[in-house]
Amino acid sequence: FSSGSDVTVTGVDFLKSQNGPQHHTDGFNIKNLVVRRGQPFLIQLSFSRELTASDKLSLRFGISEKSMRDRSTLLALNPRREQELGGWQISLVKNNGTECLLSVTSSPGAPVGKYTLNVKVGTSTYKPEDSEVYLLFNPWCQDDVVFLDDEAKRKEYVLNDTGCIYTGSAYSIYSRPWNFGQFEEFILDACMYLLEKSQMKLGDRRDPVVVSRAMSGLVNANDDSGVLLGNWSGNYSNGTSPLDWIGSVAILQQYYKTKKPVCYGQCWVFAGVLCTVMRCLGIPARCTSNFNSAHDTDENLQVDIYLNEQGEKLNSMSLDSVWNFHVWNDVWMKRTDMLAGFSGWQAIDATPQERSQGIFQCGPSPLNAVRQGDVYLPFDSKFVFAEVNADKVYWLVKKVDGRDEFFRLSTETQGIGVNISTKAVGENERRDITSEYKYPEGSAEEREAMQRACSFLRPSRLTPRGYAAGQPIEPQEFPTEVPHQTVFKSGLKIEITHTAPLYPGNPLELVITVKTSTPGRWTINLAGSCQLQYYTGTVVANLGHIQETFVLEGEAEKQLPMRIAPDTYMQMLASVQDELLVHITALAQVQETDDKLTQEMTTRFSYPPITIQMPETAKLNQDFKCAFIFKNTLNVPLTNCKLFVEGLGLFKLTTFDEGDLEPGRIMKSEIICTPTRAGQQKIVAKLIATQVKGISAEKSIIIT
């Protein structure tokens, strides 16, 4: 029987239960083997008879693409020695009788994607069932460019399938729970579909720079019928309101099923989905929230804000905007395409704001480049730099002889890019990462970075845009010194506060406090206004304003209360499907010195909480009950209440239609959970009504 002609393969075992935990892929809900590159995995082959020395055995891993010939890695094995091909290695671990155990190590620079295995022995070729092996990036492998040398961070940024995204406004930040769900059914296949859809060259799939950039473009639907269609109109009747999502799973599953863009997303939804895609493919990723985020359309690092004489912000004048918050992602990788010093975290952004190389995509831009002001570096560093560093310039618009005239009020150099936040590693806490994006405001390094950035800008772009009535604004001399917060002769300062929590249905009790601190008699004209706005800074309603002239002497202060009755704003809250924020602007001028100061504050409404009731622990595959309780402690009925709940590994996304809830009434919904995964699992709940949009809760349970 020594002739090798009649031996055949009778079976291939991919040893999922051994390989999965070793490769940190045992969470994937899929029949196939999922492994990470650059790390050995085992395969057991069975033959029709014992192998002999003369039998030739070869394995072929093909990553086939339509439009390309089958690119494959051929591994031939002479059972007595290991073979290396294209950075892949194969060795014989054990050969007993008709079975042999092989160890295969892919190259740490192999293209990620779906590989098909064919085994050839003698003259016969065998193609096993479920022969597609999914190969992912490997942050555990030192030779992979996405290597992250910290187990706690790998757990958070690659394996954690739940988390939260920070939203709100700079001084009232709150966290929205978000289920990333990268291990749920069809999510991995959806990511593989996106890789194919990107039409990138196979060689580019080795490179997380190209992959993350392509995915930032594919998660929005703008150029390529990608995953999510953005919508900021306030009306989402023919889709799902961006606020109704509590995770990426339903979005990616729907996209994979229909291959059509899902309606609708706003920035945190784009960031949540892109984070899922990155973690799923094995690139460490986090969601990053920037507060007072500048959207600088003309690349002059300056955002122009126009106010009327009542202190109300005018939207129509400026193409630039300041978003209360904007969420994007940071991904971790070595940058082999640029000089040393730019590896580590890179910003990528799937929210369609500006085109980059003709497509709505953004990044990866090294955080180090943004921090140093190296805005010439690829990709889109200039745009990201402006988001966290632009100056706000306030203009007063007055009607003079029926024409708009512009007066420069003040420049605010420290208001953009504050409290940049992400979820802490291993705990549900906010971590401030502003220092990773910029040096401390006012420090010498920060001024240097700013000047460095300005030196790379096109000089022609350094004039503010004058649109209104076709009147060009006189070009300003561009300051080489970065202006500081002005110190006034009068020591003028403004503080904006609210004296009671802002519950929908209650009057809004606001106070503008004006202070002077230097000897002298100061006559002050104050204009203050209160507006409702979207988180993108767009004003939707003027709620009221005050104007007063008063005198302060020396070190003194005056409090000017503003009270907004509920019927001024409740109808507006109910008319859009977004969460609106309360925006207060105060504008003070000292007559004696012509000191001018502008101060803004944005804050969100407060809401009653949702309580989640369930046991502390539960057993695998044993049902337990979970209850969601909400009491309407507001003064107004909540109409058309919907409760969305999801528990990865416990139950699928479920919606309860709760109808209307009168003041003082309690609503209780229950769900039966059947745990399918051990360990800590999390339940997320969100309540949406016509009047309120921002109530969410989460709670963890240990499954044993």
Side-chain angles (χ1 to χ4, degrees):
F1 262 108
S2 65
S3 95
S5 58
D6 57 353
V7 63
T8 57
V9 180
T10 56
V12 172
D13 185 348
F14 286 107
L15 303 173
K16 257 190 81 173
S17 57
Q18 268 164 279
N19 290 323
Q22 292 269 304
H23 283 253
H24 309 93
T25 56
D26 41 331
F28 283 105
N29 188 345
I30 195 166
K31 292 199 301 286
N32 303 60
L33 177 63
V34 183
V35 289
R36 298 184 188 277
R37 62 187 192 173
Q39 183 179 332
F41 59 93
L42 297 172
I43 298 181
Q44 178 141 318
L45 306 179
S46 316
F47 300 99
S48 57
R49 61 158 173 76
E50 272 187 55
L51 283 190
T52 64
S54 61
D55 291 323
K56 286 203 171 43
L57 171 65
S58 63
L59 275 64
R60 169 172 274 163
F61 285 93
I63 178 164
S64 58
E65 296 289 286
K66 312 171 193 60
S67 81
M68 315 192 54
R69 53 195 174 71
D70 189 329
R71 291 278 191 95
S72 45
T73 297
L74 182 65
L75 301 172
L77 180 73
N78 180 332
R80 278 182 298 280
R81 61 166 203 270
E82 29 185 280
Q83 177 88 20
E84 180 172 348
L85 205 120
W88 290 58
Q89 284 173 319
I90 184 168
S91 60
L92 182 66
V93 180
K94 196 155 85 208
N95 184 9
N96 55 352
T98 58
E99 289 186 335
C100 90
L101 186 62
L102 298 177
S103 169
V104 179
T105 308
S106 62
S107 155
V112 296
K114 278 197 279 196
Y115 286 77
T116 310
L117 172 64
N118 286 309
V119 182
K120 194 171 183 208
V121 63
T123 53
S124 71
T125 301
Y126 178 81
K127 188 180 175 200
E129 213 184 330
D130 294 329
S131 67
E132 287 181 318
V133 176
Y134 291 69
L135 188 68
L136 307 179
F137 289 102
N138 193 354
W140 283 266
C141 168
Q142 283 192 327
D143 297 323
D144 193 318
V145 284
V146 300
F147 175 61
L148 177 56
D149 194 7
D150 180 326
E151 182 56 25
K153 287 182 178 170
R154 291 187 293 237
K155 260 202 166 101
E156 181 67 56
Y157 299 136
V158 185
L159 300 180
N160 193 356
D161 56 357
T162 66
C164 59
I165 296 176
Y166 291 95
T167 60
S169 64
Y171 303 103
S172 61
I173 295 174
Y174 70 103
S175 84
R176 277 188 195 156
W178 192 265
N179 285 337
F180 297 109
Q182 64 269 35
F183 300 115
E184 301 305 298
E185 202 178 10
F186 303 125
I187 302 303
L188 182 57
D189 282 315
C191 294
M192 292 294 154
Y193 171 71
L194 288 172
L195 274 180
E196 294 206 354
K197 195 170 161 52
S198 73
Q199 296 183 320
M200 68 175 83
K201 295 192 200 75
L202 195 58
D204 283 343
R205 286 204 195 179
R206 306 166 187 277
D207 186 355
V209 172
V210 186
V211 171
S212 61
R213 181 164 177 77
M215 294 299 133
S216 82
L218 275 163
V219 165
N220 66 63
N222 288 51
D223 316 282
D224 39 36
S225 65
V227 180
L228 264 169
L229 196 58
N231 183 342
W232 284 264
S233 69
N235 175 9
Y236 312 108
S237 50
N238 48 355
T240 301
S241 156
L243 274 162
D244 292 4
W245 303 113
I246 50 180
S248 312
V249 179
I251 296 168
L252 283 164
Q253 285 176 341
Q254 182 185 326
Y255 179 70
Y256 184 61
K257 199 168 110 189
T258 63
K259 309 286 194 283
K260 286 192 176 67
V262 176
C263 301
Y264 291 105
Q266 287 175 6
C267 70
W268 68 92
V269 190
F270 287 109
V273 171
L274 185 54
C275 190
T276 299
V277 171
M278 292 291 103
R279 288 183 184 181
C280 186
L281 292 173
I283 299 175
R286 64 187 185 189
C287 289
T288 297
S289 302
N290 178 36
F291 291 91
N292 294 347
S293 187
H295 180 177
D296 172 28
T297 52
D298 45 7
E299 293 188 354
N300 64 356
L301 293 190
Q302 184 174 300
V303 179
D304 298 307
I305 295 169
Y306 298 92
L307 305 173
N308 65 15
E309 292 176 77
Q310 274 91 42
E312 290 168 346
K313 198 165 66 159
L314 306 168
N315 273 131
S316 53
M317 296 266 164
S318 180
L319 290 182
D320 292 342
S321 55
V322 178
W323 293 24
N324 292 116
F325 66 89
H326 178 38
V327 191
W328 60 76
N329 304 89
D330 294 331
V331 282
W332 180 269
M333 63 189 67
K334 257 199 202 83
R335 289 301 288 263
T336 51
D337 57 330
M338 40 177 85
L339 295 168
F342 296 110
S343 292
W345 288 116
Q346 319 281 323
I348 59 174
D349 191 347
T351 300
Q353 292 194 88
E354 295 288 322
R355 283 199 167 83
S356 170
Q357 296 178 325
I359 293 173
F360 282 102
Q361 57 187 357
C362 180
S365 162
L367 266 55
N368 281 343
V370 174
R371 195 159 179 256
Q372 325 281 10
D374 288 312
V375 297
Y376 59 92
L377 283 170
F379 291 93
D380 310 302
S381 297
K382 195 184 288 179
F383 185 73
V384 180
F385 184 88
E387 289 181 301
V388 298
N389 278 311
D391 289 344
K392 277 199 286 194
V393 181
Y394 292 101
W395 300 86
L396 179 63
V397 184
K398 280 188 180 174
K399 280 263 187 275
V400 180
D401 305 329
R403 267 208 343 225
D404 284 340
E405 298 249 330
F406 298 85
F407 301 88
R408 192 180 181 129
L409 288 169
S410 56
T411 302
E412 148 83 283
T413 60
Q414 302 187 1
I416 298 283
V418 297
N419 300 341
I420 304 174
S421 304
T422 191
K423 178 189 173 300
V425 172
E427 50 184 5
N428 269 355
E429 294 295 316
R430 184 178 77 84
R431 193 173 136 233
D432 193 293
I433 53 170
T434 311
S435 61
E436 295 183 39
Y437 272 91
K438 53 208 264 193
Y439 288 105
E441 286 289 356
S443 67
E445 296 94 338
E446 183 252 354
R447 279 217 291 281
E448 213 169 289
M450 193 75 188
Q451 284 171 9
R452 199 171 155 67
C454 293
S455 72
F456 297 116
L457 297 179
R458 271 167 280 175
S460 63
R461 290 285 185 90
L462 297 183
T463 51
R465 293 187 168 176
Y467 276 99
Q471 289 300 311
I473 297 169
E474 282 305 299
Q476 302 283 330
E477 274 301 299
F478 196 73
T480 44
E481 274 303 300
V482 175
H484 268 305
Q485 227 55 45
T486 323
V487 178
F488 294 114
K489 273 195 205 123
S490 54
L492 179 66
K493 280 202 169 60
I494 302 175
E495 277 169 21
I496 302 169
T497 47
H498 49 94
T499 48
L502 306 179
Y503 285 113
N506 288 9
L508 310 182
E509 307 276 1
L510 309 163
V511 177
I512 297 173
T513 308
V514 180
K515 300 181 178 180
T516 52
S517 59
T518 55
R521 190 167 185 277
W522 311 111
T523 314
I524 295 164
N525 303 340
L526 180 97
S529 74
C530 180
Q531 298 172 305
L532 278 184
Q533 67 174 29
Y534 290 124
Y535 87 95
T536 55
T538 305
V539 172
V540 288
N542 294 322
L543 301 182
H545 60 265
I546 49 172
Q547 266 177 308
E548 209 170 306
T549 300
F550 50 89
V551 173
L552 289 179
E553 294 203 35
E555 195 172 321
E557 65 172 57
K558 181 172 171 68
Q559 296 197 335
L560 298 107
M562 262 181 110
R563 189 172 187 276
I564 312 287
D567 53 0
T568 341
Y569 68 85
M570 279 309 292
Q571 210 175 341
M572 200 64 222
L573 287 192
S575 70
V576 297
Q577 290 173 280
D578 289 281
E579 184 177 18
L580 296 178
L581 296 153
V582 178
H583 181 78
I584 302 103
T585 312
L587 166 58
Q589 278 175 289
V590 180
Q591 289 182 10
E592 289 78 1
T593 60
D594 205 29
D595 291 345
K596 296 184 184 71
L597 180 60
T598 319
Q599 189 77 33
E600 297 181 274
M601 187 200 47
T602 310
T603 186
R604 72 186 287 252
F605 286 96
S606 300
Y607 308 107
I610 300 172
T611 310
I612 302 178
Q613 282 183 351
M614 62 181 174
E616 301 268 298
T617 63
K619 286 198 167 65
L620 201 58
N621 300 320
Q622 286 191 10
D623 290 0
F624 67 90
K625 205 183 270 179
C626 177
F628 303 92
I629 297 157
F630 175 79
K631 180 176 185 183
N632 180 9
T633 54
L634 301 174
N635 293 328
V636 285
L638 296 178
T639 54
N640 193 17
C641 298
K642 277 191 179 62
L643 180 73
F644 302 94
V645 295
E646 184 177 48
L648 301 182
L650 299 167
F651 58 87
K652 281 199 165 32
L653 178 64
T654 309
T655 308
F656 295 96
D657 274 318
E658 299 288 356
D660 300 347
L661 201 61
E662 291 298 318
R665 289 292 303 279
I666 294 176
M667 149 196 125
K668 184 173 179 184
S669 317
E670 289 186 335
I671 197 160
I672 303 291
C673 310
T674 312
T676 54
R677 289 209 293 258
Q680 190 184 38
Q681 306 300 340
K682 200 191 273 178
I683 287 178
V684 172
K686 178 170 231 175
L687 181 78
I688 301 274
T690 308
Q691 296 76 7
V692 301
K693 316 290 191 302
I695 309 180
S696 54
E698 59 183 337
K699 197 168 184 184
S700 293
I701 182 168
I702 304 288
I703 308 297
T704 54

